[in-house]
């Protein structure tokens, strides 16, 4: 969909649509149904215990065709607009789906498309859509917060192709990926390279994140790659990273929206059941006011989603800044909502056993993954071109 | 209000600082710096070192092994310990039950329990909350029936910190169910090794084991282990809770945490150069510093107000604000680290991955959602301020 909107020749943002169309509503309903039926607490618990991934569920997503959400039809996907992917991710956030649709497909997929060499990597894209391949975007480096330009990983071109050396740190989903999409400094420039996870000279230290997802620190020692490992050359690298991070930011928003919706629901349920001082917690005015404020925060966040989709589908000059700003806002709200949700649960809310703590941890992770909320605010501050959601001329 | 930065206080500060620098074992210091929950061994060993100096319980009366320091001196002492990365001793003996025992206990109880608390060899835990008695603590149901010279205890406690380390638990139990909720409660000291006591771990969202459930099944407790009078336990419980809230004011740790924040910022760079030159971040740090300054001065004012113990309302105020500071400071660590905040670290685990300095900090970030819940939630504290401070 990124490609479609970039190629449609229309300047600025895509059409701003409030609400979903008929097809989109049906799609949303089918996602909800599937997750309610097939992605229960128990299945998730098993996946958590097995390194944060359920291969059968991933295969199911592929068979439903959902892994092609960000790829345009000519490349085998079904991406019509950003809405499909956002719908999917919002429901994933609600159900706390562990499997990394965003990290293994959408974010690196956006980089591949914007890198301008998607045609050369058709087999990889086919594999991603079919659920047979998975990527991880390796961009973050030690001692550096949110710096997109690589410094500690280098790529040198010689007659054999590329030779990669260096380190990446906190690479989300890396243990699940067969191929790493690695940013590297090449002379004065940056490039994105596709590195097979089992290429000689690649080593991983694997661990899980606070929200139960696999991640790794990576080391590359004289990793030799063919010429066609290039996913984005110097002239397209920044654009590819922008596209990836835009999708990361937007996806984080969608997941956070689902998560805060579920967190509010859980908290209403809990405070409506738990009794202290002879009445339900939700009977106390101080609790009611807190719940009301949470609901308001959620409403305000949901309202921004169409604007986010319009910017994602568009190609306005300040597109990245607008997406970053919306992300800072939505994820900031989500942080407050899940923190309040934990508070209203009391002691049980900070236990591993309680579902609400998993929402808290997920939102914390969403806040920091793909560029932190605060950093996104800074990006918006510097890059925005005026304020006007309707863009009236 | 007295001058608080007198030469005498400054000299005292230096004395304590030198003591910590000379006596705190390097290994314990490094582990404390990491920021995970302090281990039983480190708490025990450091308390023993303090005890040899006569400094393990400065807030106790000298007759019981304490010091004659002023409240301000004691705070300065705590601050210097924290800034030197000394681990906080277990609070349950020294801060919670110790003062109850020397204030309300029998001679025999004082002789039996105070020495082990002072030298750090005996660990205590607190049996207050129950599954259905959290904020509404007085509705607790764990029962103690008198049988001759013993009580038979049945019931369950929850959120019991350090129960897995503890030799003893001080428990609120119901000895009379006939009157008002508060009137039938007693305080019992129970040996954790008594048959019928079972400890079950609760894993918190930082994936650590710190709190527990404690079950009592026909546990026989000598009647001599009753604190004060039967059915007067609520009075002792409140005495203790107010101490807990003052002890939770979190000033020394806040200063330690602020140092941690500065170290982290100094070690990282952002998109446009060193994070230390990031104006947005610096402005957030500045705000926190001012909040901390107000917190610190409020505490000094309470402490030096004719050395009276703080009123319930003041204790609740600094509890709420201390909790907020802890959460804000640790949220900022999170923000400073960005994506590097995300690896899960557990104490003692392989530290070959992730950002140096991130491990304990993130663990703290996660567990600190509890600081506005334990020891009386923010909601309860606000009600106390309204009722006892504003007489509403």
């Amino acid at each position: 969909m990124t490609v479609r909107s970039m190629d449609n020749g229309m300047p600025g943002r895509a059409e701003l649509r409030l609400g979903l169309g008929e097809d989109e509503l049906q799609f949303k309903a089918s996602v909800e149904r599937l997750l309610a039926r097939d992605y229960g607490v128990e299945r998730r618990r098993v996946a958590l215990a097995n390194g944060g991934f359920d291969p059968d569920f991933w295969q199911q997503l592929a068979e439903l065709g959902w892994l092609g959400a960000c790829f345009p039809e000519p490349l085998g996907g079904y991406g019509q607009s950003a809405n499909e992917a956002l719908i999917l991710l919002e429901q994933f956030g609600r159900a706390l789906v562990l499997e990394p649709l965003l990290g293994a497909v959408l974010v690196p997929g956006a980089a591949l498309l914007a890198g301008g060499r998607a045609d050369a990597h058709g087999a990889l894209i086919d594999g991603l859509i079919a659920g047979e391949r998975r990527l991880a975007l390796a961009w973050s480096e030690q001692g550096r917060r949110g710096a997109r330009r690589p410094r500690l990983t280098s790529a040198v071109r010689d007659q054999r192709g590329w030779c990669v050396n260096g380190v990446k740190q906190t690479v989300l989903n890396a243990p699940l990926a067969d191929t790493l999409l690695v940013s590297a400094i090449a002379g004065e420039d940056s490039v994105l390279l596709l590195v097979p996870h089992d290429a000689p000279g690649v080593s991983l230290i694997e661990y899980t994140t606070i929200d139960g997802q696999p991640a790794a620190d990576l080391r590359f020692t004289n990793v030799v790659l063919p010429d066609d490992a290039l996913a984005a050359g110097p002239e397209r690298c920044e654009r590819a990273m922008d596209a990836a991070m835009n999708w990361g930011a937007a996806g984080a928003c969608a997941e956070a929206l689902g998560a805060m919706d579920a967190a509010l629901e859980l908290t209403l349920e809990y405070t409506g059941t738990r009794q202290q001082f002879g009445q339900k917690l939700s009977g106390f005015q101080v609790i009611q006011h807190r719940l009301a404020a949470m609901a308001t925060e959620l409403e305000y966040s949901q309202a921004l989603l169409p604007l986010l989709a319009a910017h994602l589908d568009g190609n306005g000059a300040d597109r990245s800044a607008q997406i970053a700003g919306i992300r800072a806002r939505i994820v900031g709200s989500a942080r407050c909502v899940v923190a309040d949700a934990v508070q209203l649960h009391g002691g049980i809310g900070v236990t591993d056993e309680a579902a609400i703590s998993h929402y808290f941890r997920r939102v914390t992770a969403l806040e920091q993954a793909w560029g932190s909320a605060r950093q996104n605010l800074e990006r918006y501050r510097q890059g925005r071109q005026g304020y006007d959601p309707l863009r009236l001329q | 209000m007295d001058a608080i930065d007198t030469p005498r206080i400054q000299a005292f500060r230096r004395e304590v600082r030198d003591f910590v620098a000379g006596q705190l074992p390097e290994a314990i210091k490094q582990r404390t710096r990491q920021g995970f929950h302090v281990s039983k061994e480190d708490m025990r060993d450091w308390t023993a070192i303090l005890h040899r100096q006569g400094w393990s319980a400065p807030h106790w009366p000298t007759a019981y092994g304490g010091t004659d320091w002023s409240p301000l001196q004691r705070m300065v002492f705590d601050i210097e310990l924290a800034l030197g990365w000394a681990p906080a001793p277990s609070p349950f003996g020294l801060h919670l039950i110790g003062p109850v025992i020397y204030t309300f206990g029998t001679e025999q109880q004082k002789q039996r329990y105070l020495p082990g608390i002072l030298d750090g060899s005996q660990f205590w835990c607190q049996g207050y909350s129950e599954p259905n008695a959290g904020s509404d603590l007085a509705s607790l149901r764990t029962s103690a029936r008198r049988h001759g010279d013993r009580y038979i205890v049945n019931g369950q406690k929850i959120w019991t910190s350090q129960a897995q380390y503890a030799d003893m638990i001080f428990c609120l139990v119901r000895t009379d169910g006939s009157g008002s909720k508060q009137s039938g409660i007693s305080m019992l000291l129970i040996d954790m090794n008594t048959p019928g006591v079972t400890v079950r771990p609760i894993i918190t969202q930082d994936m650590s084991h710190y709190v527990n459930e404690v079950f009592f099944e026909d546990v026989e407790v000598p009647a001599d282990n009753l604190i004060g009078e039967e059915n007067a336990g609520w009075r002792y419980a409140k005495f203790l809770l107010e101490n807990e809230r003052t002890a939770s004011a979190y000033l020394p740790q806040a200063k330690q945490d602020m140092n941690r924040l500065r170290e982290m910022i100094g070690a990282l760079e952002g998109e446009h150069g060193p994070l230390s030159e990031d104006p947005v971040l610096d402005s957030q740090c500045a705000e926190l510093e001012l909040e901390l300054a107000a917190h610190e001065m409020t505490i000094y004012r309470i402490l030096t107000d004719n050395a009276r113990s703080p009123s319930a309302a003041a204790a609740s105020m600094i509890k709420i604000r201390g909790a907020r500071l802890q959460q804000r400071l640790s949220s900022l660590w999170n923000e400073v680290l960005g994506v590097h905040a995300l690896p899960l670290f557990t104490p003692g685990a392989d530290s070959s991955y992730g950002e140096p300095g991130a491990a304990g900090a993130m663990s703290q970030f996660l567990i600190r959602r509890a600081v506005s819940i334990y020891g009386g939630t923010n909601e309860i504290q606000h009600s106390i301020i309204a009722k006892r401070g504003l007489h509403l």
Side-chain angles (χ1 to χ4, degrees):
Chain A
M1 67 195 70
T2 316
V3 161
R4 184 192 65 89
S5 53
M6 278 182 175
D7 290 347
N8 69 5
M10 296 283 290
R13 202 188 56 203
E15 191 181 35
L16 179 58
R17 290 189 296 134
L18 301 177
L20 301 175
E22 194 55 43
D23 289 355
E24 290 164 336
L25 283 171
Q26 277 183 17
F27 179 59
K28 182 177 179 180
S30 64
V31 178
E32 278 174 330
R33 264 199 314 276
L34 176 98
L35 293 176
R37 193 190 68 200
D38 288 350
Y39 205 85
V41 175
E42 201 38 48
R43 185 167 190 179
R44 186 176 186 274
R45 211 181 287 281
V46 172
L48 263 182
N50 291 320
F53 188 74
D54 179 340
D56 294 339
F57 181 66
W58 194 256
Q59 204 43 52
Q60 201 176 352
L61 294 179
E63 279 159 20
L64 287 161
W66 293 355
L67 297 178
C70 83
F71 296 102
E73 277 173 35
L75 288 174
Y78 70 93
Q80 298 296 315
S81 74
N83 274 339
E84 283 90 355
L86 295 179
I87 288 167
L88 203 48
L89 287 168
E90 186 177 352
Q91 296 310 318
F92 275 30
R94 262 197 133 272
L96 278 181
V97 169
L98 283 163
E99 286 69 19
L101 174 63
L102 187 60
V105 182
L106 298 178
V107 166
L112 270 186
L113 292 178
R117 287 180 40 82
D119 290 342
H121 301 295
L124 172 58
I125 292 173
D126 289 347
L128 288 172
I129 295 171
E132 292 151 4
R133 310 275 307 264
R134 279 183 297 275
L135 287 171
L137 180 65
W139 66 281
S140 58
E141 297 182 337
Q142 184 172 23
R144 310 183 72 209
R145 183 202 66 173
R148 292 186 189 178
R149 276 183 63 83
R151 180 179 304 152
L152 306 179
T153 314
S154 70
V156 176
R157 187 132 189 223
D158 60 21
Q159 56 287 35
R160 293 175 301 176
W162 297 92
C163 181
V164 180
N165 277 287
V167 287
K168 294 288 178 190
Q169 186 168 279
T170 324
V171 179
L172 305 178
N173 337 115
L176 297 175
D178 58 84
T179 305
L180 305 157
L181 184 55
V182 181
S183 64
I185 184 152
E188 299 281 297
D189 301 310
S190 305
V191 293
L192 280 173
L193 293 166
L194 289 160
V195 182
H197 74 112
D198 55 358
V202 177
S203 63
L204 279 77
I205 300 174
E206 299 184 12
Y207 46 84
T208 51
T209 57
I210 54 170
D211 61 329
Q213 307 209 44
D217 291 357
L218 312 179
R219 179 173 291 281
F220 306 97
T221 313
N222 294 324
V223 178
V224 177
L225 304 167
D227 273 337
D228 64 6
L230 188 71
E235 70 295 342
R236 297 292 286 259
C237 188
E238 194 179 333
R239 195 158 147 191
M241 278 300 291
D242 274 355
M245 293 307 214
N246 285 346
W247 264 101
C253 285
E255 286 199 45
L257 276 172
M260 71 173 125
D261 189 23
L264 176 60
E265 193 177 299
L266 279 174
T267 310
L268 283 168
E269 208 175 283
Y270 182 80
T271 54
T273 315
R274 167 87 173 166
Q275 300 227 348
Q276 290 284 272
F277 304 104
Q279 63 170 312
K280 291 187 292 195
L281 289 187
S282 60
F284 291 95
Q285 197 175 38
V286 66
I287 305 291
Q288 288 171 355
H289 286 188
R290 184 83 75 112
L291 289 164
M294 289 162 72
T296 309
E297 207 62 64
L298 173 63
E299 191 72 26
Y300 267 58
S301 298
Q302 284 170 335
L304 283 169
L305 197 60
L307 194 57
L308 181 68
H311 282 300
L312 265 178
D313 280 344
N315 62 358
D318 66 346
R319 172 174 178 256
S320 294
Q322 294 291 346
I323 292 170
I326 294 170
R327 176 198 151 101
R329 164 76 210 194
I330 291 182
V331 178
S333 294
R335 177 211 310 154
C336 296
V337 167
V338 292
D340 281 354
V342 168
Q343 178 71 22
L344 294 186
H345 275 74
I348 195 81
V350 297
T351 64
D352 178 50
E353 206 185 336
I356 197 67
S357 78
H358 292 267
Y359 284 100
F360 180 83
R361 286 176 274 182
R362 168 54 62 87
V363 168
T364 301
L366 290 171
E367 197 182 341
Q368 303 305 335
W370 326 114
S372 71
R374 173 66 54 176
Q375 207 184 341
N376 275 278
L377 180 64
E378 187 58 13
R379 203 164 265 278
Y380 174 72
R381 189 181 73 79
Q382 292 180 5
R384 71 195 192 279
Q385 295 178 354
Y387 165 79
D388 184 3
L390 293 183
R391 296 269 156 115
L392 296 176
Q393 298 298 316
Chain B
M1 196 163 157
D2 305 324
I4 60 173
D5 52 354
T6 59
R8 197 172 140 257
I9 288 284
Q10 297 301 350
F12 175 72
R13 182 183 295 273
R14 274 191 297 278
E15 184 189 356
V16 177
R17 189 172 295 182
D18 292 345
F19 171 80
V20 178
Q23 298 298 312
L24 177 64
E26 187 60 25
I28 297 183
K29 178 177 169 177
Q30 288 314 326
R31 283 193 290 272
T32 310
R33 239 181 124 88
Q34 256 212 322
F36 290 111
H37 288 308
V38 182
S39 70
K40 177 179 185 177
E41 292 69 28
D42 284 355
M43 286 191 281
R44 182 193 61 205
D45 294 350
W46 177 238
T47 307
I49 292 169
L50 287 171
H51 176 60
R52 285 198 287 279
Q53 180 77 6
W55 287 358
S56 63
H59 53 295
W60 290 15
T62 45
Y64 298 111
T67 67
D68 56 1
W69 298 347
S70 69
L72 180 67
Q73 256 181 307
R74 299 197 307 251
M75 183 55 81
V76 166
F77 175 77
D78 287 344
I79 290 170
E80 283 306 318
L81 259 53
L83 291 181
W85 300 105
S90 177
F92 301 102
L94 285 168
H95 286 278
L96 300 185
I97 196 63
V100 171
I101 291 175
Y102 65 65
T103 308
F104 303 106
T106 61
E107 262 327 297
Q108 190 202 3
Q109 286 168 346
K110 292 177 196 173
Q111 280 169 20
R112 179 143 178 217
Y113 298 118
L114 296 182
I117 295 175
L118 266 182
D119 69 15
S121 62
Q122 239 194 357
F123 280 75
W124 287 76
C125 61
Q126 177 180 28
Y128 270 34
S129 296
E130 296 180 7
N132 289 309
S135 287
D136 185 9
L137 181 61
S139 57
L140 61 91
R141 288 204 294 250
T142 295
S143 70
R145 281 177 297 113
R146 184 79 186 246
H147 270 261
D149 61 350
R150 334 215 114 220
Y151 286 98
I152 310 296
V153 178
N154 279 286
Q156 180 196 350
K157 296 293 177 181
I158 195 167
W159 315 124
T160 317
S161 301
Q162 299 183 12
Q164 75 272 36
Y165 301 159
D167 305 291
M168 296 288 298
I169 182 169
F170 54 93
C171 256
L172 291 182
V173 292
R174 184 153 302 285
T175 35
D176 183 355
S178 62
S180 78
K181 286 194 298 188
Q182 286 85 355
S183 66
I185 291 171
S186 301
M187 188 182 277
L188 275 184
L189 312 179
I190 303 176
D191 188 328
M192 291 293 282
N193 289 314
T194 319
V197 178
T198 313
V199 176
R200 189 184 295 165
I202 298 174
I203 302 302
T204 39
Q205 65 174 347
D206 56 342
M207 300 309 279
S208 309
H209 171 201
Y210 186 72
V211 293
N212 303 273
E213 292 176 285
V214 183
F215 298 88
F216 300 89
E217 201 184 335
D218 292 327
V219 175
E220 293 191 17
V221 181
D224 288 347
N225 286 20
L226 179 74
I227 288 284
E229 292 165 32
E230 196 173 89
N231 297 333
W234 192 246
R235 186 177 147 217
Y236 317 132
K238 280 206 308 190
F239 169 87
L240 182 149
L241 275 177
E242 280 168 28
N243 286 338
E244 182 182 12
R245 277 161 204 160
T246 320
S248 321
Y250 170 69
L251 178 56
Q253 301 90 325
K255 288 167 160 272
Q256 198 182 60
D257 288 346
M258 199 60 105
N259 286 350
R260 198 187 289 282
L261 177 65
R262 290 198 187 95
E263 279 176 18
M264 256 183 215
I265 291 174
L268 286 158
E269 66 166 310
E271 272 193 286
H272 310 289
L275 276 193
S276 56
E277 292 168 15
D278 179 330
V280 180
L281 191 55
D282 196 40
S283 126
Q284 285 178 289
C285 292
E287 273 181 71
L288 271 180
E289 273 170 29
L290 292 171
E291 175 152 340
L292 177 56
H295 186 60
E296 180 163 358
M297 293 309 294
T298 303
I299 289 172
Y300 292 151
R301 196 158 78 136
I302 291 169
L303 290 177
T304 54
D305 186 9
N306 300 326
R308 274 186 307 158
S309 61
S311 73
S316 291
M317 285 177 185
I318 58 179
K319 201 284 183 173
I320 292 170
R321 289 306 180 95
R324 191 171 77 172
L325 259 172
Q326 293 197 57
Q327 291 175 342
R328 286 189 176 173
L329 261 161
S330 57
S331 294
L332 201 50
W333 293 338
N334 197 20
E335 182 58 43
V336 165
L337 288 164
V339 72
H340 300 310
L342 300 188
L344 173 71
F345 300 95
T346 45
D350 171 18
S351 59
S352 63
Y353 60 88
E355 199 62 37
M362 276 316 288
S363 175
Q364 284 287 323
F365 166 80
L366 290 170
I367 197 57
R368 283 186 186 182
R369 295 323 307 181
V371 299
S372 50
I373 295 169
Y374 65 57
T377 63
N378 277 3
E379 288 78 9
I380 292 292
Q381 306 296 348
H382 278 115
S383 294
I384 292 172
I385 297 168
K387 191 171 159 195
R388 293 172 70 178
L390 304 176
H391 309 291
L392 298 174

